[in-house]
């Protein structure tokens, strides 16, 4: 079979505990840039073209498997963590058919490994028709890592674990990343790994000697940037890894035509898509299935999750959007909150301190200040006055309200759902609307104003003694009124 046609099976080792996280959450589930670490490995495996992916779980296995549920991977349990060699064997058991396949080994705690690196590793392995290719890196001090020991000709001879290494071997700068590409003999050879070493573990690295004993050459593929395989072992490592991924993502967007002010403060998950001439101000956070079309501007410290912003939309500072759709040319904020089910048409204006939920606002609707619009449809060009509340909840159930086009809702009105307001209707300010309003009608629903002349003088006069001591301005005013 042509090397490039060989299927690729991937075993991801993720059974370790990660005590340095000091956490109830398994190490590989700690998120980096919006994804659990192990999910980065799964993503890399799938993107490099894996036929089967098996994740070896142990510590927190139930949680890890639940987190990856639906991602199309298989699981193998490693009940006791007897070493990487043993973990690999557990993984192989789960693969349904591995004859003739290349086998790639990844770790669940190295989220920085780039897809381009994996592709280059795979190409190298296949071009050389290699039996065993190790991904290595070089560090001035590779303490803690297994070292790559080469013979006089420079061929890879063995890997020695730090614990088992001599003083001289510890000066070697080339280290084992733990990523390997193996031919299908690995499945048989791995059974011959023993635990005769400093830690009494089954070392996957022993495979190397087993391959060589069969007369196979082992190749090393050296990383340009050793940082790609540095695992995140504690929370500072997590933050560092996240910083690197975050920077990669913002850099890619800037190269593709997005303006980002103070990019070091902007956080964009890799699931987000951005159009051309999008502008992001400092502190913007974009998460999940969010997509911003061309010419969208997002103001400082806005947080946008799972939302779609169409061309030219503007989100002003400190707004929070979740599960919303904002139509072309609409503007939102500052300090607006759009909750799930919000759909804004073309040129809608949402101002400060407006909250929407499950609200469909047609083209040209304006809600400029201080409103709650929940479970409501609002027709074109309707004006929602400051302080309008759609009272959608009766204490037990939520009800919907439908407002027509060209309606004028006066300030501080309450629409008590379920309610229907016809096109071009007019609601007087301060109304508590508890009946439907037909097309073109005017509704006033508030107490009629009573004005009682001289009321203040009588009221405060009765309290004159107390007013004298406590409220000098009122006392002076009462003095001017005469008795
Ligand atoms: C391993 C390598 C070492 C390499 C280093 C790179 C061996 C013997 N050594 O060492 O040469 O430089 O990785 O980081 O392989 N795991 C299991 N089950 C186990 C043990 C480990 O699933 O029984 C998983 C861990 O969750 C982790 C990965 O395998 O994702 C590596 O295990 P770890 O204990 O960190 O290996 P190292 O001792 O660092
Ligand atoms: Ca390690």
């Amino acid at each position: 079979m042509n090397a490039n046609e060989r299927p690729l099976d991937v075993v991801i080792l993720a059974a370790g505990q990660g005590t340095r996280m000091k956490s109830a959450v398994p190490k590989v589930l700690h998120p980096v840039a919006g994804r659990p670490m192990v999910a980065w490995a799964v993503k890399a495996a799938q993107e490099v073209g894996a036929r089967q992916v098996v994740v070896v779980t142990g510590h927190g296995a139930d949680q890890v498997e639940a987190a990856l549920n639906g991602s199309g991977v298989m699981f193998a349990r490693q009940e006791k963590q007897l070493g990487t060699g043993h973990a690999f064997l557990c993984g192989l058991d789960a693969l349904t058919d591995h004859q003739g396949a290349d086998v790639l080994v990844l770790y669940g705690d190295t989220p920085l490994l780039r897809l381009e690196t994996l592709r280059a590793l795979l190409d190298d392995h296949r071009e050389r028709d290699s039996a065993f290719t190790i991904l290595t890196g070089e560090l001035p001090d590779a303490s803690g890592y297994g070292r790559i020991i080469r013979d006089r000709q420079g061929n890879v001879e063995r890997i020695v674990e730090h614990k088992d290494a001599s003083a001289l071997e510890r000066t070697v700068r080339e280290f084992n990343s733990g990523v390997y590409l193996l031919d299908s003999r690995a499945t048989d050879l791995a059974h011959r790994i023993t635990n005769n070493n400093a830690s009494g573990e089954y070392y996957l690295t022993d495979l190397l000697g087993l391959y060589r004993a069969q007369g196979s050459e082992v190749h090393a593929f050296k990383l340009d940037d050793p940082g790609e395989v540095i695992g995140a072992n504690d929370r500072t490592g997590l933050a560092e890894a996240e910083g690197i991924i975050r920077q990669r993502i913002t850099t890619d967007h800037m190269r593709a035509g997005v303006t980002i002010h103070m990019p070091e403060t902007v956080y964009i998950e890799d699931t987000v898509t951005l159009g051309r001439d999008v502008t992001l101000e400092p502190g913007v956070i974009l998460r999940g299935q969010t997509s911003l079309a061309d010419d969208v501007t997002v103001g400082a410290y806005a947080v946008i999750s799972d939302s779609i912003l169409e061309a030219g939309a503007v989100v002003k500072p400190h707004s929070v959007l979740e599960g919303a759709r904002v139509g072309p040319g609409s503007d939102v904020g500052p300090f607006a909150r759009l909750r799930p089910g919000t759909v804004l048409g073309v040129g809608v204006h949402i101002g400060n301190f407006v909250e929407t939920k499950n609200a469909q606002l047609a083209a040209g609707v304006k809600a400029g200040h201080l409103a709650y619009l929940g479970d409501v449809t609002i027709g074109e060009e309707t004006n929602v006055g400051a302080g309008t509340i759609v009272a959608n909840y009766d204490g037990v159930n939520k009800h919907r309200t439908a407002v027509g086009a060209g309606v004028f809702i006066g300030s501080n009105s309450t629409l008590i759902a379920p309610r229907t307001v016809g096109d071009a209707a007019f609601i007087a300010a301060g109304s508590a609307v508890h009946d439907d309003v037909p097309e073109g009608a005017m509704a006033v629903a508030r107490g009629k104003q009573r004005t009682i002349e001289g009321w203040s003088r009588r009221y405060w006069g009765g309290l004159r003694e107390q007013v004298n001591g406590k409220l000098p301005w009122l006392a002076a005013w009462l003095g001017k009124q005469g008795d």
Side-chain angles (χ1 to χ4, degrees), residues 459-483:
Y459 177 71
W460 293 116
L463 298 170
R464 186 180 290 269
E465 301 237 315
Q466 292 163 49
V467 165
N468 279 343
K470 290 184 193 159
L471 302 167
W473 180 88
L474 248 186
W477 180 79
L478 284 170
K480 277 187 257 158
Q481 303 300 304
D483 287 307

Side-chain angles (χ1 to χ4, degrees), residues 12-18 20 27-28 56-58 78 80-88 106-110 142 144-147 159-163 175-180 201-206 229 231 233:
I12 299 174
L13 308 187
Q17 184 169 19
R20 279 174 286 171
K27 176 181 182 178
V28 296
V56 181
T57 60
Q78 187 195 23
K80 275 194 188 146
Q81 280 66 61
L82 302 177
T84 49
H86 178 253
F88 179 63
L106 298 174
Y107 289 174
D109 64 353
T110 51
Y145 288 101
R147 307 299 210 289
I159 299 173
V160 58
E161 290 306 299
H162 184 89
K163 282 180 225 152
F175 69 92
N176 169 28
S177 71
V179 175
Y180 317 97
E201 286 184 8
Y202 294 85
Y203 287 170
L204 183 52
T205 45
D206 286 357
V229 290
N233 293 316

Side-chain angles (χ1 to χ4, degrees), residues 13 21 25 39 92 105 110 131 139 146 174 213 225 233-234 240-241 250 269 310 351 358 376 395 400 408 450 464:
L13 308 187
M21 284 294 173
V25 176
L92 289 179
V105 179
T110 51
L139 285 170
E174 191 179 9
D225 172 12
N233 293 316
D234 60 14
E240 246 171 76
T250 49
E269 291 179 355
E310 295 184 68
N358 204 353
V376 65
R400 283 201 70 86
F408 183 93
R450 289 207 298 152
R464 186 180 290 269

Side-chain angles (χ1 to χ4, degrees), residues 201-239:
E201 286 184 8
Y202 294 85
Y203 287 170
L204 183 52
T205 45
D206 286 357
L207 256 191
L208 193 153
L210 295 165
Y211 266 88
R212 281 173 46 90
Q214 296 235 318
S216 297
E217 245 182 74
V218 172
H219 296 108
F221 182 85
K222 208 185 275 182
L223 282 161
D224 295 329
D225 172 12
E228 282 190 44
V229 290
I230 290 179
N233 293 316
D234 60 14
R235 314 274 179 147
T236 66
L238 274 181

Side-chain angles (χ1 to χ4, degrees), residues 71-339:
S71 62
V73 301
M74 298 178 294
F75 299 104
R77 290 268 174 125
Q78 187 195 23
E79 300 299 343
K80 275 194 188 146
Q81 280 66 61
L82 302 177
T84 49
H86 178 253
F88 179 63
L89 273 182
C90 296
L92 289 179
D93 282 345
L95 295 176
T96 49
D97 162 32
H98 38 66
Q99 286 316 309
D102 288 318
V103 182
L104 170 67
V105 179
L106 298 174
Y107 289 174
D109 64 353
T110 51
L112 297 175
L113 189 59
R114 283 173 177 273
L115 180 61
E116 301 86 86
T117 303
L118 278 181
R119 286 208 178 108
L121 174 73
L122 189 60
D123 288 347
D124 184 71
H125 180 73
R126 288 178 171 171
E127 270 162 30
R128 291 166 181 262
D129 207 11
S130 171
F132 188 128
T133 308
I134 321 171
L135 185 67
T136 69
E138 221 173 88
L139 285 170
D141 175 6
S143 283
Y145 288 101
R147 307 299 210 289
I148 306 296
I149 308 299
R150 294 176 182 257
D151 65 16
R152 291 217 166 87
Q153 287 75 46
N155 297 318
V156 177
E157 205 173 57
R158 61 202 164 88
I159 299 173
V160 58
E161 290 306 299
H162 184 89
K163 282 180 225 152
D164 303 302
S166 68
L168 185 64
E169 287 167 336
R170 286 185 182 180
T171 64
V172 172
R173 293 145 58 116
E174 191 179 9
F175 69 92
N176 169 28
S177 71
V179 175
Y180 317 97
L181 260 166
L182 313 163
D183 70 14
S184 58
R185 275 176 295 163
T187 54
D188 293 328
L189 294 177
H191 287 276
R192 302 193 202 159
I193 296 174
T194 63
N195 61 353
N196 298 324
N197 52 54
S199 32
E201 286 184 8
Y202 294 85
Y203 287 170
L204 183 52
T205 45
D206 286 357
L207 256 191
L208 193 153
L210 295 165
Y211 266 88
R212 281 173 46 90
Q214 296 235 318
S216 297
E217 245 182 74
V218 172
H219 296 108
F221 182 85
K222 208 185 275 182
L223 282 161
D224 295 329
D225 172 12
E228 282 190 44
V229 290
I230 290 179
N233 293 316
D234 60 14
R235 314 274 179 147
T236 66
L238 274 181
E240 246 171 76
E242 184 160 276
I244 292 166
I245 292 183
R246 202 189 46 67
Q247 193 185 355
R248 283 182 191 165
I249 294 171
T250 49
T251 303
D252 286 350
H253 285 303
M254 290 188 281
R255 295 220 167 101
V258 172
T259 295
I260 307 184
H261 299 285
M262 292 174 69
E264 64 282 8
T265 66
V266 169
Y267 174 95
I268 307 171
E269 291 179 355
D270 74 329
T271 42
V272 171
T273 60
L274 302 179
R276 251 169 51 142
D277 291 317
V278 161
T279 297
L280 306 178
E281 291 181 358
V284 165
I285 296 178
L286 305 176
R287 296 182 195 278
Q289 304 302 314
T290 289
S291 95
L292 276 51
D294 294 351
D295 304 309
V296 165
T297 295
V298 182
Y301 306 103
V303 180
I304 303 180
S305 314
D306 302 317
S307 295
I308 295 168
L309 277 66
E310 295 184 68
V314 176
V315 174
K316 294 181 184 164
H318 298 283
S319 296
V320 178
L321 281 67
E322 186 190 350
R325 185 177 190 110
V326 178
S330 289
D331 70 291
V332 173
F335 302 101
R337 178 166 185 217
L338 308 189
R339 292 169 53 202

Side-chain angles (χ1 to χ4, degrees), residues 365-384:
V365 168
K366 291 179 182 57
H369 333 261
L370 300 157
Y372 173 62
L373 307 174
D375 299 312
V376 65
T377 355
I378 302 181
E380 280 178 31
E381 302 292 336
T382 283
N383 186 86
V384 178

